Amino acid sequence: MMGEQRLVSIVMPAYNRAVVMVKAIESIRKQSYPNWELIVVDDRSTDRTKELVLELAKQDARIRYVMNYRSKGPGGARNCGILAAQGELLAFLDSDDLWFPHHLKDSLDNLERTGADVSFALWVEQHGDRTIHSFEQKAEQRFISQMRKRNETAGDAIVFREGLFEQFLMQTRNFFQLNTMVFRRDMLADVGLINEQFGLGEDTTYLLRFFDRFRISLIVRPHAVYTQSPDSVYYFCDRWKLDPDSLGQNRELLSKFEALGLKSVKVRVHIRSLAEKSAQLRNRKKWIRKINADIACKYYTLSYLYRFDREKALGYCRKSIRSRMTLFNLLLMARLKLSMKGSSFILKRAVDLW
Protein backbone atom coordinates (compact mmCIF):
# COMPACT_ATOMS: atom_id res chain seq x y z
CA MET A 1 0.00 0.00 0.00
CA MET A 2 1.01 3.60 -0.58
CA GLY A 3 0.93 4.32 3.16
CA GLU A 4 3.70 1.78 3.77
CA GLN A 5 6.20 4.02 1.95
CA ARG A 6 5.63 7.16 4.03
CA LEU A 7 8.13 8.08 6.73
CA VAL A 8 6.60 8.64 10.18
CA SER A 9 8.50 10.91 12.58
CA ILE A 10 7.84 9.94 16.21
CA VAL A 11 8.55 12.57 18.87
CA MET A 12 9.35 11.37 22.40
CA PRO A 13 10.13 13.97 25.10
CA ALA A 14 12.20 12.65 28.01
CA TYR A 15 13.37 14.04 31.33
CA ASN A 16 15.25 11.69 33.67
CA ARG A 17 13.48 8.64 32.22
CA ALA A 18 16.47 6.36 31.66
CA VAL A 19 14.89 3.77 33.98
CA VAL A 20 11.57 3.48 32.13
CA MET A 21 12.05 4.66 28.56
CA VAL A 22 13.61 1.45 27.22
CA LYS A 23 10.19 -0.25 27.19
CA ALA A 24 8.63 2.71 25.35
CA ILE A 25 11.35 2.63 22.69
CA GLU A 26 11.09 -1.15 22.35
CA SER A 27 7.35 -0.81 21.69
CA ILE A 28 8.25 1.42 18.75
CA ARG A 29 10.89 -0.97 17.45
CA LYS A 30 8.27 -3.75 17.54
CA GLN A 31 5.92 -1.86 15.21
CA SER A 32 4.75 -3.93 12.25
CA TYR A 33 5.15 -0.75 10.17
CA PRO A 34 8.93 -0.28 9.70
CA ASN A 35 9.35 3.11 8.02
CA TRP A 36 9.75 5.45 10.98
CA GLU A 37 12.28 7.65 12.74
CA LEU A 38 12.23 8.16 16.50
CA ILE A 39 13.36 11.56 17.79
CA VAL A 40 14.05 11.36 21.52
CA VAL A 41 14.18 14.91 22.87
CA ASP A 42 16.19 15.15 26.07
CA ASP A 43 14.69 17.91 28.22
CA ARG A 44 18.10 18.52 29.87
CA SER A 45 18.10 15.36 31.97
CA THR A 46 20.55 14.79 34.80
CA ASP A 47 20.50 10.98 34.63
CA ARG A 48 21.75 8.57 31.92
CA THR A 49 19.07 9.47 29.37
CA LYS A 50 21.58 10.73 26.79
CA GLU A 51 23.94 7.77 27.13
CA LEU A 52 21.07 5.30 26.94
CA VAL A 53 19.54 6.81 23.79
CA LEU A 54 22.91 7.02 22.04
CA GLU A 55 23.52 3.35 22.86
CA LEU A 56 20.14 2.41 21.39
CA ALA A 57 20.83 4.58 18.32
CA LYS A 58 23.93 2.46 17.61
CA GLN A 59 21.67 -0.60 17.52
CA ASP A 60 18.96 1.04 15.39
CA ALA A 61 19.78 3.89 12.98
CA ARG A 62 16.13 4.98 13.03
CA ILE A 63 16.62 6.37 16.57
CA ARG A 64 17.89 9.95 16.93
CA TYR A 65 18.95 11.88 20.04
CA VAL A 66 18.17 15.62 20.28
CA MET A 67 18.77 18.01 23.18
CA ASN A 68 15.86 20.40 23.83
CA TYR A 69 16.95 23.95 23.01
CA ARG A 70 13.52 25.50 23.53
CA SER A 71 11.65 26.26 26.79
CA LYS A 72 11.92 23.49 29.36
CA GLY A 73 8.86 21.29 29.80
CA PRO A 74 6.83 18.85 27.65
CA GLY A 75 5.60 21.55 25.26
CA GLY A 76 9.06 22.89 24.46
CA ALA A 77 10.54 19.39 24.17
CA ARG A 78 7.82 18.23 21.79
CA ASN A 79 8.20 21.35 19.65
CA CYS A 80 11.92 20.75 19.47
CA GLY A 81 11.21 17.25 18.16
CA ILE A 82 8.59 18.48 15.72
CA LEU A 83 11.06 20.95 14.21
CA ALA A 84 13.68 18.20 13.86
CA ALA A 85 11.24 15.81 12.15
CA GLN A 86 11.88 14.74 8.56
CA GLY A 87 8.90 12.48 7.98
CA GLU A 88 5.76 13.15 5.98
CA LEU A 89 3.72 12.14 9.03
CA LEU A 90 4.02 12.99 12.74
CA ALA A 91 3.27 10.85 15.80
CA PHE A 92 3.98 11.14 19.53
CA LEU A 93 4.75 8.77 22.39
CA ASP A 94 5.65 9.66 25.97
CA SER A 95 8.72 8.01 27.46
CA ASP A 96 6.79 5.94 30.02
CA ASP A 97 3.98 4.79 27.72
CA LEU A 98 3.71 2.01 25.13
CA TRP A 99 2.29 1.34 21.69
CA PHE A 100 0.75 -1.93 20.60
CA PRO A 101 2.62 -3.37 17.57
CA HIS A 102 -0.22 -2.56 15.16
CA HIS A 103 -0.48 1.16 16.03
CA LEU A 104 1.37 2.80 13.14
CA LYS A 105 0.20 0.39 10.42
CA ASP A 106 -3.45 0.55 11.45
CA SER A 107 -3.30 4.34 11.85
CA LEU A 108 -1.93 4.84 8.33
CA ASP A 109 -4.45 2.37 6.94
CA ASN A 110 -7.16 4.31 8.77
CA LEU A 111 -6.06 7.60 7.18
CA GLU A 112 -6.25 6.10 3.69
CA ARG A 113 -9.46 4.17 4.28
CA THR A 114 -11.42 7.10 5.73
CA GLY A 115 -9.79 9.97 3.84
CA ALA A 116 -9.12 11.63 7.18
CA ASP A 117 -6.41 14.19 7.91
CA VAL A 118 -5.80 12.94 11.47
CA SER A 119 -6.03 9.49 13.03
CA PHE A 120 -6.63 8.79 16.73
CA ALA A 121 -7.25 5.58 18.67
CA LEU A 122 -8.24 4.53 22.18
CA TRP A 123 -5.89 3.25 24.89
CA VAL A 124 -5.71 1.18 28.06
CA GLU A 125 -4.37 2.43 31.38
CA GLN A 126 -1.66 0.82 33.47
CA HIS A 127 -1.87 1.39 37.26
CA GLY A 128 1.09 -0.49 38.70
CA ASP A 129 0.37 -4.15 38.00
CA ARG A 130 -3.23 -3.47 36.99
CA THR A 131 -4.30 -2.96 33.36
CA ILE A 132 -7.59 -1.07 33.18
CA HIS A 133 -9.77 -1.22 30.05
CA SER A 134 -11.77 1.85 30.97
CA PHE A 135 -13.31 2.32 27.51
CA GLU A 136 -15.09 -1.01 27.90
CA GLN A 137 -17.17 0.33 30.78
CA LYS A 138 -20.88 1.03 30.24
CA ALA A 139 -20.63 4.83 30.35
CA GLU A 140 -17.81 4.94 27.79
CA GLN A 141 -19.55 2.45 25.52
CA ARG A 142 -22.66 4.61 25.68
CA PHE A 143 -20.63 7.66 24.61
CA ILE A 144 -19.09 5.69 21.74
CA SER A 145 -22.53 4.55 20.62
CA GLN A 146 -23.78 8.15 20.68
CA MET A 147 -20.77 9.33 18.66
CA ARG A 148 -21.44 6.61 16.08
CA LYS A 149 -25.02 7.86 15.67
CA ARG A 150 -23.98 11.52 15.32
CA ASN A 151 -21.09 11.04 12.90
CA GLU A 152 -19.91 9.12 9.88
CA THR A 153 -18.52 5.63 10.51
CA ALA A 154 -16.08 3.42 8.63
CA GLY A 155 -15.63 -0.03 10.16
CA ASP A 156 -14.07 0.38 13.60
CA ALA A 157 -13.58 4.13 13.09
CA ILE A 158 -15.77 7.16 13.75
CA VAL A 159 -15.12 10.09 11.41
CA PHE A 160 -15.69 13.67 12.58
CA ARG A 161 -15.92 16.67 10.28
CA GLU A 162 -17.88 19.23 12.27
CA GLY A 163 -19.14 19.59 15.82
CA LEU A 164 -16.23 17.77 17.46
CA PHE A 165 -15.39 20.64 19.81
CA GLU A 166 -18.97 20.60 21.10
CA GLN A 167 -18.87 16.82 21.52
CA PHE A 168 -15.60 17.24 23.44
CA LEU A 169 -17.28 19.71 25.83
CA MET A 170 -20.32 17.46 26.12
CA GLN A 171 -18.47 14.39 27.37
CA THR A 172 -16.99 13.84 30.80
CA ARG A 173 -14.50 11.36 29.26
CA ASN A 174 -11.78 12.41 26.83
CA PHE A 175 -11.52 10.09 23.81
CA PHE A 176 -8.52 11.79 22.21
CA GLN A 177 -4.88 11.50 23.25
CA LEU A 178 -1.66 12.83 21.73
CA ASN A 179 -0.01 9.41 22.15
CA THR A 180 -2.35 7.90 19.54
CA MET A 181 -2.34 10.86 17.12
CA VAL A 182 -0.95 10.54 13.58
CA PHE A 183 -1.18 13.43 11.11
CA ARG A 184 0.56 15.00 8.11
CA ARG A 185 3.48 17.25 8.99
CA ASP A 186 2.43 19.85 6.38
CA MET A 187 -0.64 20.58 8.56
CA LEU A 188 1.69 22.47 10.91
CA ALA A 189 1.38 25.43 8.55
CA ASP A 190 -2.25 25.72 9.71
CA VAL A 191 -2.09 24.64 13.36
CA GLY A 192 1.40 25.77 14.37
CA LEU A 193 3.42 24.38 17.27
CA ILE A 194 2.32 23.36 20.78
CA ASN A 195 1.78 26.18 23.28
CA GLU A 196 4.83 26.03 25.54
CA GLN A 197 3.23 28.19 28.26
CA PHE A 198 1.03 25.36 29.57
CA GLY A 199 2.67 23.20 32.22
CA LEU A 200 -0.28 20.81 32.07
CA GLY A 201 -2.80 20.05 29.34
CA GLU A 202 -0.59 21.43 26.56
CA ASP A 203 -1.41 18.25 24.62
CA THR A 204 -5.19 18.68 24.99
CA THR A 205 -5.13 22.36 24.02
CA TYR A 206 -3.07 21.40 20.95
CA LEU A 207 -5.56 18.74 19.85
CA LEU A 208 -8.38 21.27 20.05
CA ARG A 209 -6.76 23.25 17.22
CA PHE A 210 -7.53 20.35 14.88
CA PHE A 211 -11.18 19.97 15.93
CA ASP A 212 -13.75 21.29 13.43
CA ARG A 213 -10.97 22.30 11.01
CA PHE A 214 -9.93 18.91 9.66
CA ARG A 215 -11.42 15.50 8.99
CA ILE A 216 -10.60 13.40 12.07
CA SER A 217 -10.95 9.65 12.43
CA LEU A 218 -11.08 7.86 15.79
CA ILE A 219 -10.37 4.11 15.88
CA VAL A 220 -12.51 2.77 18.72
CA ARG A 221 -10.10 0.08 19.90
CA PRO A 222 -6.88 0.51 21.91
CA HIS A 223 -3.55 1.30 20.30
CA ALA A 224 -1.53 2.37 23.36
CA VAL A 225 -0.87 1.80 27.06
CA TYR A 226 -1.06 4.94 29.18
CA THR A 227 1.09 4.42 32.27
CA GLN A 228 0.24 6.26 35.48
CA SER A 229 3.68 6.49 37.08
CA PRO A 230 4.55 8.18 40.42
CA ASP A 231 6.96 10.66 38.78
CA SER A 232 4.49 11.93 36.19
CA VAL A 233 3.22 15.52 36.31
CA TYR A 234 -0.34 14.39 36.96
CA TYR A 235 -0.32 10.90 38.47
CA PHE A 236 2.13 11.48 41.34
CA CYS A 237 -0.15 9.64 43.79
CA ASP A 238 -3.13 7.30 43.94
CA ARG A 239 -6.08 9.67 44.19
CA TRP A 240 -8.48 6.88 45.12
CA LYS A 241 -6.67 6.49 48.45
CA LEU A 242 -6.57 10.19 49.35
CA ASP A 243 -8.65 11.74 52.10
CA PRO A 244 -9.18 15.51 51.57
CA ASP A 245 -9.19 16.04 55.34
CA SER A 246 -5.76 14.50 55.92
CA LEU A 247 -4.32 15.89 52.67
CA GLY A 248 -4.44 19.40 54.13
CA GLN A 249 -1.84 18.33 56.71
CA ASN A 250 0.64 17.02 54.12
CA ARG A 251 2.41 20.19 52.96
CA GLU A 252 4.44 18.53 50.20
CA LEU A 253 1.47 16.78 48.62
CA LEU A 254 -0.73 19.83 49.17
CA SER A 255 1.76 22.01 47.32
CA LYS A 256 1.70 19.61 44.36
CA PHE A 257 -2.10 19.66 44.26
CA GLU A 258 -2.11 23.44 44.38
CA ALA A 259 0.29 23.74 41.44
CA LEU A 260 -1.69 21.12 39.51
CA GLY A 261 -5.02 22.82 40.29
CA LEU A 262 -3.81 26.22 39.09
CA LYS A 263 -2.43 24.72 35.87
CA SER A 264 -5.76 22.97 35.34
CA VAL A 265 -7.60 26.26 35.79
CA LYS A 266 -5.31 27.88 33.20
CA VAL A 267 -6.23 25.18 30.67
CA ARG A 268 -9.95 25.59 31.36
CA VAL A 269 -9.72 29.37 30.97
CA HIS A 270 -8.13 28.76 27.57
CA ILE A 271 -10.89 26.31 26.58
CA ARG A 272 -13.48 28.90 27.69
CA SER A 273 -11.89 31.47 25.39
CA LEU A 274 -12.16 28.97 22.52
CA ALA A 275 -15.84 28.43 23.35
CA GLU A 276 -16.45 32.18 23.40
CA LYS A 277 -14.93 32.53 19.91
CA SER A 278 -16.37 29.36 18.35
CA ALA A 279 -18.87 29.91 15.56
CA GLN A 280 -20.04 26.28 15.65
CA LEU A 281 -21.29 25.90 19.23
CA ARG A 282 -25.08 25.73 19.19
CA ASN A 283 -25.54 26.71 22.81
CA ARG A 284 -22.52 28.81 23.68
CA LYS A 285 -23.87 30.09 27.00
CA LYS A 286 -24.57 26.55 28.21
CA TRP A 287 -21.00 25.39 27.55
CA ILE A 288 -19.45 28.50 29.06
CA ARG A 289 -21.52 27.93 32.21
CA LYS A 290 -20.26 24.34 32.32
CA ILE A 291 -16.62 25.44 31.97
CA ASN A 292 -17.12 28.09 34.65
CA ALA A 293 -18.55 25.40 36.93
CA ASP A 294 -15.44 23.28 36.35
CA ILE A 295 -13.21 26.24 37.21
CA ALA A 296 -15.27 26.99 40.32
CA CYS A 297 -14.88 23.35 41.39
CA LYS A 298 -11.08 23.49 41.06
CA TYR A 299 -10.88 26.67 43.16
CA TYR A 300 -13.33 25.18 45.69
CA THR A 301 -11.11 22.13 46.07
CA LEU A 302 -8.05 24.29 46.71
CA SER A 303 -10.01 26.36 49.23
CA TYR A 304 -11.15 23.26 51.10
CA LEU A 305 -7.68 21.70 51.12
CA TYR A 306 -6.21 24.95 52.49
CA ARG A 307 -8.97 25.51 55.06
CA PHE A 308 -6.38 25.50 57.88
CA ASP A 309 -4.69 28.47 56.17
CA ARG A 310 -7.65 30.84 56.50
CA GLU A 311 -6.46 33.72 54.29
CA LYS A 312 -5.36 31.47 51.47
CA ALA A 313 -8.53 29.43 51.69
CA LEU A 314 -10.66 32.59 51.57
CA GLY A 315 -8.79 33.76 48.46
CA TYR A 316 -9.49 30.54 46.59
CA CYS A 317 -13.09 30.47 47.81
CA ARG A 318 -13.70 33.99 46.47
CA LYS A 319 -12.32 32.90 43.09
CA SER A 320 -14.63 29.89 43.16
CA ILE A 321 -17.67 32.09 43.82
CA ARG A 322 -16.64 34.53 41.08
CA SER A 323 -16.44 31.67 38.59
CA ARG A 324 -19.81 30.27 39.59
CA MET A 325 -21.75 30.67 42.82
CA THR A 326 -22.90 27.40 44.36
CA LEU A 327 -24.31 26.26 47.68
CA PHE A 328 -21.01 24.52 48.43
CA ASN A 329 -18.68 27.49 48.00
CA LEU A 330 -21.13 29.78 49.85
CA LEU A 331 -21.22 27.40 52.80
CA LEU A 332 -17.45 27.06 52.77
CA MET A 333 -17.05 30.84 52.67
CA ALA A 334 -19.33 31.18 55.68
CA ARG A 335 -17.37 28.55 57.63
CA LEU A 336 -14.05 30.20 56.80
CA LYS A 337 -15.25 33.69 57.76
CA LEU A 338 -16.67 32.41 61.05
CA SER A 339 -13.41 30.52 61.69
CA MET A 340 -15.33 27.31 62.20
CA LYS A 341 -12.94 24.37 62.53
CA GLY A 342 -13.37 20.81 61.35
CA SER A 343 -15.22 19.64 58.26
CA SER A 344 -18.56 18.23 57.24
CA PHE A 345 -19.50 15.53 54.78
CA ILE A 346 -21.54 17.94 52.67
CA LEU A 347 -18.51 20.18 52.09
CA LYS A 348 -16.01 17.37 51.49
CA ARG A 349 -18.37 15.77 48.98
CA ALA A 350 -17.83 18.65 46.53
CA VAL A 351 -14.02 18.26 46.52
CA ASP A 352 -12.60 17.13 43.16
CA LEU A 353 -9.08 15.72 43.44
CA TRP A 354 -9.05 14.77 39.75
Side-chain angles (χ1 to χ4, degrees):
M1 294 178 64
M2 185 185 302
E4 294 175 345
Q5 302 171 0
R6 303 160 79 182
L7 177 63
V8 182
S9 293
I10 306 160
V11 177
M12 177 183 290
Y15 175 69
N16 288 350
R17 289 302 180 91
V19 175
V20 299
M21 67 187 306
V22 173
K23 289 183 179 180
I25 294 174
E26 280 304 306
S27 78
I28 294 173
R29 296 182 70 186
K30 290 178 181 177
Q31 290 298 298
S32 58
Y33 181 84
N35 197 16
W36 50 263
E37 63 165 358
L38 168 62
I39 305 165
V40 180
V41 185
D42 186 355
D43 199 16
R44 300 163 224 175
S45 298
T46 57
D47 66 353
R48 291 191 65 257
T49 292
K50 179 177 181 179
E51 290 80 4
L52 176 64
V53 177
L54 291 178
E55 288 172 10
L56 292 172
K58 290 179 182 178
Q59 303 171 24
D60 194 327
R62 296 173 295 180
I63 300 173
R64 296 166 55 194
Y65 172 87
V66 174
M67 176 67 76
N68 178 25
Y69 59 85
R70 299 179 66 87
S71 63
K72 192 168 175 59
R78 288 191 178 108
N79 283 339
C80 185
I82 289 172
L83 293 172
Q86 299 174 348
E88 181 183 345
L89 297 160
L90 277 173
F92 303 89
L93 182 63
D94 287 347
S95 55
D96 58 348
D97 296 327
L98 307 171
W99 277 345
F100 292 136
H102 57 79
H103 170 58
L104 287 181
K105 183 179 186 305
D106 287 5
S107 296
L108 267 66
D109 287 347
N110 181 45
L111 289 173
E112 288 196 2
R113 178 167 49 90
T114 63
D117 302 298
V118 187
S119 177
F120 287 99
L122 301 181
W123 61 92
V124 298
E125 297 179 4
Q126 192 72 34
H127 301 242
D129 296 331
R130 292 184 301 147
T131 301
I132 299 177
H133 299 263
S134 56
F135 289 105
E136 295 181 3
Q137 297 177 11
K138 288 184 179 179
E140 280 70 16
Q141 286 297 309
R142 183 171 65 251
F143 280 132
I144 290 172
S145 178
Q146 291 170 354
M147 288 191 292
R148 281 188 174 279
K149 292 177 181 178
R150 294 192 189 101
N151 304 280
E152 176 187 339
T153 60
D156 62 357
I158 303 172
V159 184
F160 306 85
R161 186 63 189 91
E162 295 179 346
L164 184 52
F165 181 43
E166 184 165 23
Q167 292 180 60
F168 168 81
L169 295 176
M170 185 185 306
Q171 294 159 1
T172 55
R173 182 70 152 94
N174 185 14
F175 288 83
F176 301 90
Q177 190 189 72
L178 195 66
N179 275 345
T180 69
M181 184 185 196
V182 179
F183 67 101
R184 298 192 321 276
R185 187 161 59 95
D186 61 17
M187 294 169 64
L188 293 172
D190 293 312
V191 298
L193 297 175
I194 296 170
N195 190 326
E196 299 179 15
Q197 303 306 310
F198 291 110
L200 173 79
E202 80 290 336
D203 48 353
T204 299
T205 59
Y206 189 59
L207 302 186
L208 293 178
R209 295 190 202 171
F210 293 81
F211 291 4
D212 299 338
R213 296 178 64 184
F214 300 101
R215 186 174 170 87
I216 294 174
S217 183
L218 171 65
I219 301 171
V220 289
R221 56 187 176 86
H223 274 204
V225 179
Y226 180 49
T227 305
Q228 300 188 359
S229 56
D231 61 341
S232 72
V233 174
Y234 189 83
Y235 290 105
F236 48 80
C237 64
D238 187 346
R239 284 164 169 73
W240 294 109
K241 297 179 180 178
L242 290 177
D243 175 16
D245 288 339
S246 59
L247 180 58
Q249 306 298 322
N250 186 328
R251 303 300 296 183
E252 182 182 355
L253 204 54
L254 183 58
S255 178
K256 287 186 176 183
F257 267 102
E258 181 180 25
L260 189 67
L262 294 177
K263 290 175 182 177
S264 180
V265 166
K266 186 176 181 180
V267 170
R268 283 168 169 77
V269 169
H270 175 73
I271 293 174
R272 183 177 63 193
S273 71
L274 295 179
E276 291 169 346
K277 298 172 186 175
S278 174
Q280 294 200 15
L281 288 182
R282 291 172 294 180
N283 193 339
R284 191 191 318 273
K285 291 182 178 179
K286 170 187 173 182
W287 299 119
I288 291 175
R289 284 197 302 270
K290 180 180 181 297
I291 297 168
N292 284 337
D294 290 341
I295 294 172
C297 185
K298 289 297 176 184
Y299 279 133
Y300 176 90
T301 298
L302 291 176
S303 180
Y304 185 89
L305 296 180
Y306 270 104
R307 67 196 182 284
F308 298 109
D309 183 339
R310 185 170 176 271
E311 290 307 311
K312 199 165 193 175
L314 281 169
Y316 282 132
C317 197
R318 291 188 187 101
K319 289 182 178 181
S320 177
I321 291 172
R322 281 199 294 269
S323 296
R324 186 176 182 185
M325 189 181 298
T326 69
L327 175 62
F328 293 109
N329 52 33
L330 287 174
L331 284 173
L332 183 57
M333 175 66 79
R335 292 176 67 89
L336 291 170
K337 284 191 172 183
L338 293 172
S339 298
M340 296 170 64
K341 296 182 179 180
S343 64
S344 64
F345 175 74
I346 185 70
L347 294 178
K348 185 165 66 172
R349 192 177 62 184
V351 171
D352 179 14
L353 296 177
W354 294 89

